[in-house]
Amino acid sequence: MKMDLMSGYKGVVGLVFGNENSSNEDRYVERLLDRISNGKLPDDRRNAITELQAVVSENKAFQLAFGAMGLPIMLGVLKEERHDVEMVRGALETLVSALTPINHAKGSSNEVQPDLMNTDLLSREEESIPLLLSLLEEDDFYVRYYTLQILTALLTNSRQRLQETILTIPRGITRLMDMLMDREVIRNEALLLLTHLTREAEEIQKIIVFEGAYEKIFSIIKEEGNSDGGVVVQDCLELLNNLIRSNASNQVLLRETIGLDPLILILKLRGSSYSFTQQKTINLLSALETIKLLLKGGSDADPGKDANKQKNKTALVQKKVLDNLLILGVESQWVPVAVRCAALKCIGDLIVGDSKNLDLLASKVLGEEPQVEPALNSILRIILRSSSMQEFIAADYVFKNFCEKNADGQAMLASTLIPQPYSVNHSFHEEDVNMSFGSMLLHGLTLGENDGDLETCTRAASVLSHILKDNLQSKERVLRIEIEAPMQSLGAPEPLMHRMVKYLALASSMKSKDGKSNNTSGNSYVQAVILKLLVTWLADCHNAVHCFLDARPHLTYLLELVSNLSETVCIRGFAAIVLGECVIYNKSTDSGKDAFAIVDLISQKIGLSSYFLKFEEMHKSFIFANVASSFTHRSFSRSSAASMADIQDVDENDLSENKNTDHPILASILDSYFVSSVKRLEANIREQIVEVYSRPKTKVAVVPSEIEQKSGESDGEYIKRLKAFVENQHSEIQDLVLRNGTLAEDLAKTGSSFQSEQRVSGGVERLQTETLRRDFQEASKRLEMLKAEKAKIESEANMYQNLAGKMEADLRSLSDAYNSLEQSNLQLENEVKALRGGRLSTIPDVEAIKDKAREEALKESEGELNDLLVCLGQEQSKVDKLSARLLELGEDVDQLLEGIGDDAGAAEGFEDEDDDE
């Protein structure tokens, strides 16, 4: 049968690789397998398996041929020849070679990968996984080592199937956990295996935790030297992160059993703190990911997530985690950028929504006397001065979370924004720790006045937008800040808002002059952040809108920005939002600044339909679509460790292909709250503009006194005044008709586009509904099949259970019968021994025998007499019944009975005479 299977696969290599000569590999592998399975000499079989391992490890063709033919034979060796250690070693090493990819020369992307095919074939063998797990109990080192390598390869390529199988094997996970206490090489291989095994497998995660995983993990980390250790520490932390990722119960066990002290110990810098190898960087990033997972609290679907997250925060703060994070993220200048960014994001997660932690961060001071400064000042310095865009984003994330629903904190930061004279404001050295938070921020906001440093100004504007968000008091306070001009001859001081609009226009002019794609993307980032600040500032603040409209060029510039097709979609959309805020939050009554005048300008310069279209284009842009996933955390593994450790900033040269692409960093700066706010504003803007546009510019009140002729007024003057009044009303009516026509046209265009989109979306929805309906039907059928199969299995189980009970009862009765036979046999043997030991010449007692016979005859006669008496009694009862019946019928019973006894006596006498004769 084996040879038939092999012949069926003959030539498989030639079919896959397209090589006519590759059938030679098939035949060669077939001969080696025949020697292994049918050989008579042990040495010859061992040599064959060694030769097979060598060719499989070096050539894809041999690797594929072996997978088609050799897997059953190797499993047979492992199962039937456990006593021959060398054969078992050779079989396991050959399997390792068959599952390991060979990368001597890179082939085409669609080329068959023999290692993946072999992995799939081996994982589908029913007995393969239990057999491999049983080999972990062998004493031989190499047997256990190769077995772990095979299991790791299977988990790498067929993880879900292996996870389901291992869960069904008794003590399967326990055997794997025992390998962590084995020799170092096997322990390290077991760690790698467990990291694959625990990914997205909640049940396995819980079992491993109950097997004492936390104690073993931190014991190994401590033994290896914490963050200064090698890749083993990384594997331990990856396993730890798999155990607690989206698993609140495992986080509780970690917090309440072993505690968080060992984790905090990994974050502490020891020895030469300026010495950071790549492996140490990766280890610290892994430990910071553990902190991040604890601060997340578990899966979003877990109802106890928030409570668990709060308990994790409390426990971490008690262990002084904030101090360690500030050292890694802010204080130590030797820490790699990747670690600083991760630590800053952990600080942001630690303080968000927690008033105690917010106050704790606000009270922290860094440095040593006398060079000490508040931690918030140090983080702001990073924002303004860091050369890394990723570090700016991470530090900005701290301020975003600090100001989130923290009105007191926002007011505290805004109170430090005190304008200084130009000479004083620009005389500060950038490293002067005596600068207040507000002075440093204002310095950054106005730094671009002379040297055109819009980058620093933009970063400061991002921080200012967090301070102003949803805080009317802070908006009003900052609105009163005025910035002095470099020289008094250049004009009077101007509001800070006007300065920000000036920088916005400067960024546009720099882009239009240069025209290069690099500067285009960079300045689009500058424009977007400043526009975000204006959107935040103007929201629900009438005085801010009034201040913005005080300068007539502001409105003109915004109208040009919205209609400029060379700008990016987000820039045009943000500018349209700012224009809309000037309508819905406008309380001005001045002609030219009121809401009606602004709507009139939008209609004339842009057109309402084109204006509303900017919102739709903005929502469909890549940046808006990816805001929700910009901070989505991807899992940290060996494969991604090196790339994440070496954080690279965005390469703007990649944007040169598309001149109209928004800067990719905007996906990190624009948070989901801002996007939802923009959507709410858009709905209000549409409604308010339609309302303003549909009503007359001035309310004409027909006053009777104006119609009546005044005293002393001549008839000609009266007629002329009435004529002017009618003409005025006519012009108002014509204006309203024109506006209503334009509005109807815009609405018609919008309606037609909406209907077309609705038709398209309706077709898509119908297609999706039909697909879902088919999927539901298939799932229902599959469910019914599973139910029927389950009922069948249950009936078979009951039948087998009854059969087992019956067999057990039969076995019990057979056992009792056997015991009875044993006793009888023993009794007979004793009687035989007694007879053999007696005297053969003994004469039996004849009299005793006669007496015994007489007694037996007497007993028999007494028994027969008793039977006869019973019969006579029965006959007498019958006679009595018959006599009673005859009496009832009127018969004379005595007469009938006469002579019956005589007849009987005569008969007896006759019989006696016959006997005498």
Side-chain angles (χ1 to χ4, degrees):
M1 183 63 184
K2 281 185 180 178
M3 295 307 296
D4 293 340
L5 180 63
M6 294 178 189
S7 61
Y9 283 112
K10 191 173 182 179
V12 66
V13 181
L15 292 173
V16 173
F17 288 95
N19 184 0
E20 296 179 358
N21 298 325
S22 61
S23 59
N24 296 329
E25 283 86 352
D26 277 3
R27 288 193 290 271
Y28 185 69
V29 170
E30 187 176 342
R31 287 197 300 271
L32 290 176
L33 291 172
D34 183 61
R35 286 170 58 189
I36 294 170
S37 58
N38 299 321
K40 303 300 181 183
L41 298 177
D43 289 340
D44 180 61
R45 298 177 67 231
R46 292 167 187 157
N47 292 335
I49 206 168
T50 302
E51 188 174 349
L52 179 63
Q53 187 275 328
V55 297
V56 168
S57 65
E58 296 178 355
N59 191 296
K60 285 188 176 182
F62 285 110
Q63 201 176 44
L64 184 64
F66 169 80
M69 298 181 287
L71 290 177
I73 296 176
M74 293 299 106
L75 291 176
V77 171
L78 297 178
K79 185 177 181 181
E80 299 170 4
E81 303 186 39
R82 297 280 280 270
H83 60 280
D84 192 335
V85 177
E86 291 189 20
M87 283 294 292
V88 173
R89 277 189 195 174
L92 289 171
E93 192 172 3
T94 305
L95 288 174
V96 171
S97 301
L99 305 181
T100 303
I102 299 174
N103 297 320
H104 292 326
K106 293 184 178 179
S108 60
S109 58
N110 58 352
E111 181 180 318
V112 173
Q113 300 297 326
D115 58 298
L116 298 181
M117 292 181 63
N118 294 341
T119 301
D120 185 68
L121 288 172
L122 183 58
S123 65
R124 292 180 185 275
E125 291 285 342
E126 292 183 1
E127 298 182 353
S128 61
I129 308 306
L131 180 60
L132 291 170
L133 288 175
S134 67
L135 289 171
L136 294 177
E137 298 180 348
E138 295 293 323
D139 294 331
D140 187 76
F141 167 81
Y142 289 100
V143 170
R144 301 196 305 277
Y145 179 67
Y146 292 143
T147 301
L148 287 173
Q149 286 189 316
I150 294 170
L151 289 170
T152 303
L154 292 174
L155 280 166
T156 303
N157 299 316
S158 301
R159 185 175 71 238
Q160 186 174 0
R161 189 180 302 153
L162 265 292
Q163 289 171 338
E164 294 173 353
T165 304
I166 289 175
L167 275 174
T168 63
I169 299 174
R171 297 191 72 253
I173 296 177
T174 304
R175 293 175 190 171
L176 296 175
M177 291 297 295
D178 291 341
M179 295 296 102
L180 292 179
M181 309 306 294
D182 209 316
R183 295 165 62 177
E184 183 176 346
V185 176
I186 291 181
R187 179 201 70 185
N188 297 345
E189 195 66 32
L191 269 175
L192 194 59
L193 185 150
L194 289 171
T195 57
H196 290 286
L197 181 64
T198 52
R199 288 177 187 166
E200 300 177 2
E202 187 173 353
E203 291 299 321
I204 293 178
Q205 293 168 5
K206 291 180 180 179
I207 295 173
I208 287 180
V209 167
F210 279 107
E211 290 286 343
Y214 291 147
E215 293 80 358
K216 294 174 182 177
I217 288 173
F218 284 113
S219 174
I220 296 172
I221 291 175
K222 184 178 180 181
E223 180 182 341
E224 292 291 323
N226 290 306
S227 62
D228 294 317
V231 72
V232 176
V233 174
Q234 176 188 346
D235 290 338
C236 286
L237 290 170
E238 183 178 350
L239 174 58
L240 175 65
N241 293 338
N242 287 347
L243 295 177
I244 67 174
R245 182 178 288 110
S246 301
N247 196 322
S249 60
N250 282 357
Q251 292 183 12
V252 173
L253 287 173
L254 174 62
R255 188 178 68 239
E256 296 183 355
T257 55
I258 194 171
L260 301 180
D261 288 315
L263 178 60
I264 304 301
L265 192 62
I266 300 173
L267 298 177
K268 291 185 177 179
L269 300 179
R270 287 171 296 278
S272 301
S273 59
Y274 54 85
S275 176
F276 280 86
T277 62
Q278 186 183 38
Q279 187 58 57
K280 183 174 182 178
T281 300
I282 293 173
N283 292 343
L284 286 171
L285 287 174
S286 300
L288 289 170
E289 186 188 16
T290 308
I291 299 293
K292 189 174 185 69
L293 292 172
L294 291 173
L295 293 175
K296 185 180 178 183
S299 172
D300 293 334
D302 190 344
K305 171 189 173 183
D306 293 336
N308 184 56
K309 176 169 65 175
Q310 191 58 43
K311 290 180 180 178
N312 288 343
K313 283 185 178 182
T314 303
L316 286 168
V317 170
Q318 289 175 352
K319 302 300 179 183
K320 309 294 184 183
V321 71
L322 183 57
D323 294 336
N324 291 282
L325 292 175
L326 287 171
I327 292 173
L328 290 173
V330 183
E331 282 193 275
S332 179
Q333 57 181 332
W334 305 106
V335 175
V337 174
V339 177
R340 293 206 300 270
C341 292
L344 285 168
K345 289 180 180 179
C346 285
I347 293 173
D349 291 333
L350 183 68
I351 64 174
V352 64
D354 192 305
S355 58
K356 293 182 179 179
N357 293 347
L358 288 169
D359 295 339
L360 181 63
L361 177 63
S363 64
K364 287 290 181 181
V365 292
L366 304 179
E368 297 180 358
E369 292 290 347
Q371 301 292 319
V372 294
E373 68 174 347
L376 291 176
N377 290 25
S378 300
I379 297 172
L380 177 61
R381 194 184 304 281
I382 292 174
I383 291 177
L384 300 178
R385 295 303 172 196
S386 175
S387 60
S388 168
M389 183 67 72
Q390 296 292 342
E391 190 173 13
F392 152 60
I393 293 172
D396 185 73
Y397 182 70
V398 176
F399 276 103
K400 170 186 172 296
N401 288 353
F402 181 83
C403 296
E404 188 77 27
K405 299 180 180 178
N406 182 19
D408 294 337
Q410 290 173 302
M412 182 267 293
L413 296 178
S415 65
T416 63
L417 293 169
I418 302 174
Q420 301 287 340
Y422 180 84
S423 58
V424 176
N425 193 35
H426 286 261
S427 64
F428 284 118
H429 189 266
E430 62 183 26
E431 298 299 332
D432 188 0
V433 296
N434 294 320
M435 290 180 68
S436 67
F437 179 90
S439 299
M440 196 185 308
L441 185 59
L442 287 174
H443 178 71
L445 286 169
T446 58
L447 194 61
E449 177 66 27
N450 294 327
D451 53 9
D453 186 10
L454 296 181
E455 176 77 18
T456 302
C457 170
T458 304
R459 295 183 178 187
S462 180
V463 176
L464 182 60
S465 67
H466 300 317
I467 297 174
L468 301 182
K469 182 173 64 176
D470 296 334
N471 193 313
L472 184 60
Q473 180 184 357
S474 297
K475 292 178 183 180
E476 298 282 359
R477 187 183 189 97
V478 178
L479 202 59
R480 294 191 292 269
I481 295 177
E482 293 188 345
I483 307 298
E484 287 188 356
M487 294 183 295
Q488 293 183 355
S489 59
L490 296 179
E494 61 181 343
L496 177 61
M497 178 181 285
H498 291 195
R499 182 65 62 90
M500 300 313 299
V501 179
K502 181 186 296 184
Y503 290 154
L504 179 63
L506 180 61
S508 300
S509 63
M510 290 173 61
K511 180 171 61 177
S512 61
K513 288 179 181 178
D514 195 349
K516 294 182 180 179
S517 58
N518 278 356
N519 285 338
T520 299
S521 60
N523 286 317
S524 70
Y525 143 66
V526 171
Q527 290 173 289
V529 174
I530 296 178
L531 283 170
K532 178 190 174 185
L533 170 63
L534 293 177
V535 170
T536 305
W537 203 340
L538 298 183
D540 292 313
C541 188
H542 309 299
N543 292 332
V545 172
H546 184 75
C547 178
F548 179 82
L549 295 176
D550 275 346
R552 181 70 180 181
H554 291 177
L555 199 57
T556 304
Y557 169 68
L558 273 185
L559 291 168
E560 294 176 356
L561 198 60
V562 172
S563 58
N564 189 353
L565 296 179
S566 64
E567 297 291 352
T568 65
V569 172
C570 274
I571 298 303
R572 296 199 300 268
F574 288 172
I577 292 293
V578 174
L579 273 177
E581 287 180 317
C582 291
V583 175
I584 61 177
Y585 301 120
N586 193 328
K587 298 298 183 183
S588 176
T589 57
D590 298 340
S591 177
K593 292 183 181 180
D594 59 350
F596 186 91
I598 296 172
V599 172
D600 205 18
L601 286 172
I602 293 174
S603 175
Q604 294 174 7
K605 302 291 185 181
I606 304 173
L608 292 184
S609 59
S610 298
Y611 174 75
F612 291 143
L613 188 62
K614 307 304 178 187
F615 298 145
E616 298 175 9
E617 293 174 349
M618 177 178 62
H619 290 311
K620 294 177 182 178
S621 67
F622 175 81
I623 296 298
F624 259 63
N626 288 271
V627 164
S629 59
S630 62
F631 269 98
T632 301
H633 191 67
R634 59 176 179 172
S635 59
F636 195 89
S637 61
R638 265 198 189 190
S639 58
S640 62
S643 61
M644 292 181 70
D646 299 326
I647 285 184
Q648 300 293 333
D649 284 324
V650 177
D651 186 4
E652 295 178 353
N653 293 324
D654 296 338
L655 304 174
S656 58
E657 297 179 0
N658 188 355
K659 186 177 180 181
N660 203 33
T661 302
D662 289 292
H663 199 288
I665 216 68
L666 290 179
S668 299
I669 297 176
L670 303 179
D671 54 87
S672 58
Y673 178 85
F674 178 74
V675 172
S676 61
S677 299
V678 166
K679 291 180 179 179
R680 289 194 301 270
L681 281 172
E682 176 197 340
N684 294 335
I685 290 168
R686 287 178 182 270
E687 181 181 352
Q688 187 71 16
I689 285 181
V690 171
E691 182 182 349
V692 171
Y693 195 79
S694 62
R695 72 170 185 257
K697 181 184 297 186
T698 58
K699 295 182 180 180
V700 180
V702 181
V703 182
S705 60
E706 294 181 358
I707 299 176
E708 295 178 356
Q709 187 175 6
K710 298 179 180 178
S711 59
E713 185 179 19
S714 63
D715 293 340
E717 291 176 351
Y718 177 58
I719 293 172
K720 187 182 295 184
R721 186 166 58 81
L722 287 178
K723 184 179 180 180
F725 179 78
V726 171
E727 289 178 352
N728 188 23
Q729 278 194 329
H730 177 72
S731 65
E732 292 286 352
I733 292 171
Q734 290 296 326
D735 188 36
L736 282 176
V737 170
L738 180 62
R739 289 179 180 279
N740 288 335
T742 306
L743 186 60
E745 183 181 353
D746 290 337
L747 291 175
K749 290 180 181 179
T750 306
S752 62
S753 63
F754 174 74
Q755 289 175 0
S756 62
E757 290 179 2
Q758 194 174 30
R759 286 195 296 270
V760 174
S761 62
V764 174
E765 288 176 357
R766 284 195 299 272
L767 180 60
Q768 292 176 347
T769 304
E770 183 65 24
T771 304
L772 289 173
R773 187 181 62 81
R774 289 198 301 269
D775 293 343
F776 178 76
Q777 291 178 350
E778 292 176 0
S780 299
K781 292 179 181 178
R782 197 177 302 115
L783 181 61
E784 293 298 328
M785 291 173 61
L786 290 174
K787 286 181 178 179
E789 187 176 356
K790 179 185 177 184
K792 181 180 177 182
I793 292 173
E794 288 178 349
S795 63
E796 289 179 354
N798 292 331
M799 182 186 69
Y800 287 131
Q801 187 175 4
N802 296 333
L803 183 60
K806 182 179 178 183
M807 293 178 67
E808 184 179 0
D810 293 341
L811 183 61
R812 191 180 297 109
S813 62
L814 287 173
S815 176
D816 295 338
Y818 177 80
N819 292 333
S820 177
L821 288 173
E822 285 285 339
Q823 292 177 358
S824 300
N825 186 32
L826 181 62
Q827 184 177 1
L828 289 173
E829 285 179 355
N830 292 334
E831 289 177 359
V832 170
K833 289 179 181 178
L835 289 173
R836 285 178 180 175
R839 297 169 60 182
L840 299 176
S841 59
T842 303
I843 298 174
D845 188 356
V846 179
E847 294 297 326
I849 293 173
K850 286 182 178 180
D851 293 337
K852 186 175 182 180
R854 191 180 298 111
E855 289 176 359
E856 290 178 354
L858 182 60
K859 288 180 179 179
E860 288 178 358
S861 62
E862 288 178 355
E864 291 176 354
L865 181 60
N866 291 332
D867 293 338
L868 183 59
L869 291 173
V870 170
C871 290
L872 288 174
Q874 292 176 350
E875 292 297 325
Q876 182 62 38
S877 64
K878 291 180 180 179
V879 170
D880 294 336
K881 289 181 180 180
L882 289 173
S883 300
R885 181 61 178 167
L886 290 173
L887 287 173
E888 289 175 1
L889 295 174
E891 295 291 336
D892 189 0
V893 179
D894 295 333
Q895 184 179 359
L896 290 173
L897 292 177
E898 286 179 1
I900 291 177
D902 297 336
D903 292 340
E908 288 177 2
F910 181 76
E911 288 175 0
D912 293 337
E913 289 176 0
D914 289 342
D915 293 335
D916 293 338
E917 289 179 357

